[in-house]
């Protein structure tokens, strides 16, 4: 399992060189600055230290994610919209996820639990609980945590800490990063690979990928120093079997209720009635 929230910024602090004395520029609203002089004097290093201290005892949180993905493959366009609500416990890694996904006029809803009892998914169209094979659990954990865990995103970006723009408004410190270009190319490819199952992490598969735009925006609460939001926009081109494809993803995430998720339990109905899915019958999908 990847690093937990308790070590979000430990390594990042060692990389703060020129940025460590940088104070956050206030964000103006209607021509007025909403921050006090004391808040403006906090440097990026000081903010990181406060975040590190605040996150030492985090054990759980909730996350809401909205994703809008547009795909253009050889002139054939498709739009996929997803809304996810998650409860997340760090140790042991446990989650409950409710998702609604729309592809064109088609809509699908899923309700999923991943606990010590296994991975269970409710498919409302068929009104059926499914239990996924245990060999898929680690892959699902890897992909889920990479997409939902705010510490993982920060940890991945630590090497570019000096490239962040550091600002603030009345409630939050705001870190933004434009990560497109040659400097970030390998990092972005590695980041995409890390969210894939191991058997799909082929270096050759990423050779035809070009990132046109990758923007990050992170919000840190001034009172608690918890991460409260993470927004990301990605635009990339690739080649699939000789066909050019463009993919644009706009993802907005919020994080809340830190340490308030005490337990996540699979419903009794799922434990008693779930149909076990055979990996061979799935055709390896």
């Amino acid at each position: 399992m990847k690093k937990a929230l308790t070590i979000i910024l430990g390594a990042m602090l060692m990389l703060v060189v020129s940025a460590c004395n940088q104070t956050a520029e206030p964000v103006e609203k209607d021509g007025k600055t909403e921050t006090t002089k004391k808040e403006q004097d906090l440097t990026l290093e000081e903010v990181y230290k406060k975040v590190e201290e605040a996150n030492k005892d985090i054990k759980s949180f909730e996350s809401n994610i909205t994703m809008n993905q547009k795909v253009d493959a050889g002139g054939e366009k498709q739009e996929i919209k997803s809304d996810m609500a998650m409860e997340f416990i760090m140790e042991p890694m446990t989650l409950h996820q409710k998702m609604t996904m729309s592809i064109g006029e088609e809509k699908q809803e899923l309700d999923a639990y991943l606990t010590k009892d296994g991975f269970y998914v409710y498919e409302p169209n068929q009104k059926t609980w499914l239990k996924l094979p245990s060999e898929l659990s680690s892959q699902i954990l890897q992909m889920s945590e990479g997409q939902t865990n705010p510490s993982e995103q920060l940890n991945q970006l630590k090497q570019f800490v000096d490239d962040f723009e550091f600002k603030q408004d009345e409630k939050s410190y705001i870190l933004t990063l434009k990560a497109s270009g040659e400097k970030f190319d390998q990092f972005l490819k590695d980041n995409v690979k890390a969210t894939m199952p191991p058997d799909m992490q082929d270096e050759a598969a990423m050779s035809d990928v070009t990132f046109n735009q990758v923007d990050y925006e992170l919000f840190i609460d001034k009172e608690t120093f918890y991460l409260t939001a993470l927004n990301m926009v990605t635009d990339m081109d690739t080649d699939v079997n000789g066909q050019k494809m463009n993919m644009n993803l706009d993802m907005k995430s919020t994080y809340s209720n830190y340490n308030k998720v005490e337990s996540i339990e699979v419903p009794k109905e799922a434990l008693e009635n779930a149909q076990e899915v055979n990996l061979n019958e799935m055709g390896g999908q």
Side-chain angles (χ1 to χ4, degrees), residues 139 142-143 189 191-202 205-206:
Q139 297 178 12
Q142 180 183 15
M143 291 184 286
K189 290 179 179 179
N191 193 21
V192 172
K193 285 170 55 181
T195 65
M196 297 179 176
D199 58 354
M200 294 179 63
Q201 295 182 5
D202 184 1
M206 301 300 299

Side-chain angles (χ1 to χ4, degrees), residues 95 97 99 108 110-123 128-141 143-144 197 266 270-271 273-282 284-285:
L95 68 85
Q97 172 183 306
M99 179 179 72
Q108 184 173 13
L110 292 175
D111 191 4
Y113 290 82
L114 180 54
T115 73
K116 59 180 176 57
D117 295 312
F119 196 96
Y120 292 82
V121 177
Y122 182 70
E123 210 292 303
T128 302
W129 280 99
L130 303 174
K131 183 177 181 180
L132 276 65
S134 58
E135 55 262 44
L136 291 181
S137 296
S138 61
Q139 297 178 12
I140 296 169
L141 281 170
M143 291 184 286
S144 297
V266 179
L271 293 173
N273 302 315
Q275 300 179 13
E276 294 200 19
V277 179
N278 186 289
L279 190 59
N280 294 325
E281 293 177 354
M282 293 174 62
Q285 297 179 12

Side-chain angles (χ1 to χ4, degrees), residues 50-97:
K50 288 180 178 292
V51 172
E52 182 184 42
E53 185 64 30
N55 282 276
K56 282 183 178 180
D57 298 323
I58 287 180
K59 298 177 177 64
S60 65
F61 60 90
E62 294 184 10
S63 176
N64 285 276
I65 302 174
T66 299
M67 293 191 293
N68 186 8
Q69 183 175 0
K70 297 179 180 178
V71 180
D72 186 341
E76 184 176 344
K77 298 181 180 180
Q78 188 174 61
E79 186 171 2
I80 305 169
K81 295 183 178 180
S82 304
D83 290 295
M84 290 179 283
M86 294 189 178
E87 297 176 300
F88 213 90
I89 296 176
M90 303 300 298
E91 297 289 348
M93 173 79 166
T94 310
L95 68 85
H96 174 212
Q97 172 183 306

Side-chain angles (χ1 to χ4, degrees), residues 5 8 24 35 43 58 73 101 121 130 134 141 161 185 207 224 241:
L5 281 167
I8 283 182
T35 56
T43 66
I58 287 180
M101 182 170 63
V121 177
L130 303 174
S134 58
L141 281 170
V161 66
D185 185 70
S207 61
T224 64
N241 297 325

Side-chain angles (χ1 to χ4, degrees), residues 7-272:
I7 53 172
I8 283 182
L9 294 167
M12 292 181 74
L13 294 176
M14 297 184 291
L15 296 173
V16 180
V17 182
S18 61
C20 68
N21 293 318
Q22 174 189 356
T23 57
E25 296 180 13
V27 175
E28 293 187 354
K29 183 177 182 180
D30 298 327
K32 297 181 180 180
T33 300
E34 299 180 343
T35 56
T36 67
K37 182 65 168 61
K38 180 178 180 181
E39 289 168 331
Q40 293 175 18
D41 284 343
L42 279 179
T43 66
L44 183 57
E45 181 183 28
E46 290 169 338
V47 171
Y48 280 165
K49 286 181 177 179
K50 288 180 178 292
V51 172
E52 182 184 42
E53 185 64 30
N55 282 276
K56 282 183 178 180
D57 298 323
I58 287 180
K59 298 177 177 64
S60 65
F61 60 90
E62 294 184 10
S63 176
N64 285 276
I65 302 174
T66 299
M67 293 191 293
N68 186 8
Q69 183 175 0
K70 297 179 180 178
V71 180
D72 186 341
E76 184 176 344
K77 298 181 180 180
Q78 188 174 61
E79 186 171 2
I80 305 169
K81 295 183 178 180
S82 304
D83 290 295
M84 290 179 283
M86 294 189 178
E87 297 176 300
F88 213 90
I89 296 176
M90 303 300 298
E91 297 289 348
M93 173 79 166
T94 310
L95 68 85
H96 174 212
Q97 172 183 306
K98 300 189 74 170
M99 179 179 72
T100 301
M101 182 170 63
S102 300
I103 304 177
E105 296 182 356
E106 297 182 10
K107 180 180 289 188
Q108 184 173 13
E109 297 180 352
L110 292 175
D111 191 4
Y113 290 82
L114 180 54
T115 73
K116 59 180 176 57
D117 295 312
F119 196 96
Y120 292 82
V121 177
Y122 182 70
E123 210 292 303
N125 293 331
Q126 302 296 325
K127 297 182 179 180
T128 302
W129 280 99
L130 303 174
K131 183 177 181 180
L132 276 65
S134 58
E135 55 262 44
L136 291 181
S137 296
S138 61
Q139 297 178 12
I140 296 169
L141 281 170
Q142 180 183 15
M143 291 184 286
S144 297
E145 186 175 8
Q147 295 169 7
T148 62
N149 190 339
S151 69
E152 185 58 31
Q153 289 289 342
L154 280 174
N155 192 53
Q156 292 169 359
L157 293 168
K158 65 185 179 183
Q159 59 187 301
F160 304 114
V161 66
D162 289 336
D163 296 290
F164 275 102
E165 184 180 76
F166 181 40
K167 292 189 176 183
Q168 62 181 311
D169 61 18
E170 184 178 9
K171 296 181 179 180
S172 306
Y173 290 101
I174 307 167
L175 285 74
T176 59
L177 174 68
K178 296 184 180 299
S180 56
E182 184 177 348
K183 177 179 180 179
F184 300 94
D185 185 70
Q186 190 58 50
F187 158 75
L188 294 170
K189 290 179 179 179
D190 291 342
N191 193 21
V192 172
K193 285 170 55 181
T195 65
M196 297 179 176
D199 58 354
M200 294 179 63
Q201 295 182 5
D202 184 1
E203 190 68 35
M206 301 300 299
S207 61
D208 294 324
V209 174
T210 301
F211 293 94
N212 304 313
Q213 176 188 4
V214 182
D215 298 339
Y216 295 88
E217 185 178 38
L218 304 99
F219 292 78
I220 298 172
D221 185 89
K222 283 185 173 180
E223 293 185 3
T224 64
F225 289 92
Y226 290 154
L227 268 161
T228 56
L230 167 63
N231 302 323
M232 184 171 67
V233 175
T234 303
D235 185 272
M236 58 184 284
D237 294 323
T238 188
D239 189 301
V240 180
N241 297 325
Q243 184 180 60
K244 298 295 183 182
M245 179 183 293
N246 174 264
M247 290 180 286
N248 182 281
L249 174 66
D250 187 344
M251 182 181 75
K252 300 184 185 302
S253 310
T254 60
Y255 303 92
S256 61
N257 288 337
Y258 284 93
N259 291 340
K260 293 183 179 180
V261 182
E262 297 182 355
S263 65
I264 297 174
E265 298 181 359
V266 179
K268 182 179 179 181
E269 179 185 359
L271 293 173
E272 294 179 348

